[in-house]
């Protein structure tokens, strides 16, 4: 776990993590936990009653509110509201540079944190039913494999190019969850950087879908090309 945290910290943005513009902004909390010597990542499935993206898998997180002084505050507040994971349990270890998501004209900031070993199996999570239908976790290495779980992809067409978006059918306690879109993209990036390994499938950063920082792009490109 220490190596994963260090690798992700190497590409972290620098504090303070204050909002510096009025652009539409959101933050997500990527919670990592060691279980049996293996790093797991926490994911939610959104409530079917939500107007936007019902039933889709995501990280805890959401839109900036006026009272939020930083991206860390947004991520921690949303996590408390959604699944009752209290901020005194987590340790924020890094804040990755924001991604610009074209489809939503949105700046999304991933906040990386850890919880004590086995917390995912012992903590009394309490999902807010109006926002969260399920809480689950999977090994981070899941998102570097094309065999387990089954990897699927679909082609997205843009006016000047096309690219593949990957999604993963992951299993948790006998149920299957489909991790796709920007969530799957972040899982691959975090796994590649944190574990320092390239995926077993062909992957490239989808620049037509979102813009990532030079630090993230450089680190992922070096991993993908074995540099």
């Amino acid at each position: 776990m220490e190596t994963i945290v260090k690798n992700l910290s190497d590409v972290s943005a620098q504090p303070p993590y204050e909002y510096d513009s009025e652009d539409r902004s959101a933050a997500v909390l990527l919670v990592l936990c060691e279980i049996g010597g293996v790093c797991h990542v926490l994911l939610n499935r959104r409530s079917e009653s939500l107007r936007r993206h019902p039933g889709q898998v995501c990280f805890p997180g959401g839109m900036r509110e006026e009272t939020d002084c930083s991206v860390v505050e947004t991520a921690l507040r949303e996590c408390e509201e959604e699944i009752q994971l209290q901020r005194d349990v987590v340790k924020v270890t890094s804040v990755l540079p924001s991604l610009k998501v074209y489809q939503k004209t949105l700046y999304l900031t991933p906040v990386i944190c850890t919880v004590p070993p086995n917390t995912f199996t012992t903590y009394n999570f309490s999902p807010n039913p109006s926002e969260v239908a399920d809480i689950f976790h999977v090994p981070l290495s899941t998102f570097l494999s094309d065999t387990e779980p089954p990897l699927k992809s679909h082609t997205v067409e843009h006016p000047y190019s096309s690219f593949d978006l990957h999604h993963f059918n992951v299993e948790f306690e006998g149920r299957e969850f489909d991790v796709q879109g920007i969530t799957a993209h972040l899982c691959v990036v975090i796994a590649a950087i944190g574990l320092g390994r390239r995926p077993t499938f062909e992957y490239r950063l989808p620049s037509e879908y979102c813009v990532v920082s030079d630090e993230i792009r450089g680190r992922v490109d070096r991993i993908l090309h074995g540099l």
Side-chain angles (χ1 to χ4, degrees):
M1 180 67 84
E2 290 182 4
T3 300
I4 294 171
V5 169
K6 181 184 181 303
N7 288 345
L8 292 170
S9 297
D10 286 346
V11 293
S12 176
Q14 297 301 309
Y17 308 119
E18 298 174 351
Y19 288 105
D20 55 7
S21 75
E22 296 302 318
D23 293 322
R24 294 181 68 242
S25 301
V28 291
L29 196 65
L30 279 69
V31 189
L32 305 179
C33 178
E34 184 177 323
I35 303 175
V38 176
C39 178
H40 285 235
V41 61
L42 190 70
L43 293 162
N44 295 345
R45 188 175 70 84
R46 292 167 60 86
S47 169
E48 296 286 354
S49 64
L50 290 173
R51 183 168 58 89
R52 295 183 178 178
H53 310 297
Q56 289 192 6
V57 171
C58 63
F59 297 108
M63 297 297 298
R64 169 192 183 184
E65 292 190 354
E66 290 184 4
T67 55
D68 294 340
C69 61
S70 70
V71 294
V72 173
E73 174 62 27
T74 299
L76 293 177
R77 174 185 53 76
E78 287 283 346
C79 192
E80 287 180 329
E81 293 176 359
E82 291 178 0
I83 62 175
Q84 295 298 306
L85 179 59
Q86 302 302 313
R87 63 185 67 199
D88 61 352
V89 178
V90 310
K91 178 183 179 181
V92 174
T93 58
S94 57
V95 175
L96 301 191
S98 299
L99 299 78
K100 182 178 181 180
V101 184
Y102 282 141
Q103 290 179 330
K104 301 179 181 179
T105 317
L106 174 73
Y107 287 89
L108 178 67
T109 304
V111 177
I112 312 296
C113 75
T114 61
V115 294
N118 300 314
T119 296
F120 287 174
T121 61
T122 60
Y123 190 81
N124 185 26
F125 292 103
S126 180
N128 180 344
S130 66
E131 297 188 65
V132 177
D134 296 288
I135 304 169
F136 64 100
H137 56 86
V138 294
L140 187 61
S141 59
T142 295
F143 302 101
L144 298 180
S145 172
D146 61 353
T147 57
E148 183 62 40
L151 170 73
K152 298 181 180 180
S153 63
H154 65 277
T155 301
V156 178
E157 300 291 344
H158 274 254
Y160 304 106
S161 65
S162 63
F163 61 97
D164 290 334
L165 281 181
H166 303 294
H167 52 115
F168 302 82
N169 290 330
V170 302
E171 184 175 322
F172 179 74
E173 295 184 346
R175 297 179 59 197
E176 288 191 352
F177 298 90
D178 186 20
V179 185
Q180 58 179 296
I182 194 68
T183 301
H185 161 67
L186 277 175
C187 284
V188 174
V189 168
I190 296 304
I193 294 175
L195 297 169
R197 303 205 313 258
R198 71 177 70 182
T200 60
F201 50 89
E202 184 176 350
Y203 181 79
R204 71 176 180 85
L205 291 168
S207 58
E208 300 88 347
Y209 183 73
C210 63
V211 176
V212 300
S213 71
D214 290 341
E215 294 90 343
I216 297 293
R217 182 171 298 280
R219 177 62 69 91
V220 172
D221 282 345
R222 288 195 295 274
I223 293 171
L224 293 180
H225 296 97
L227 301 177

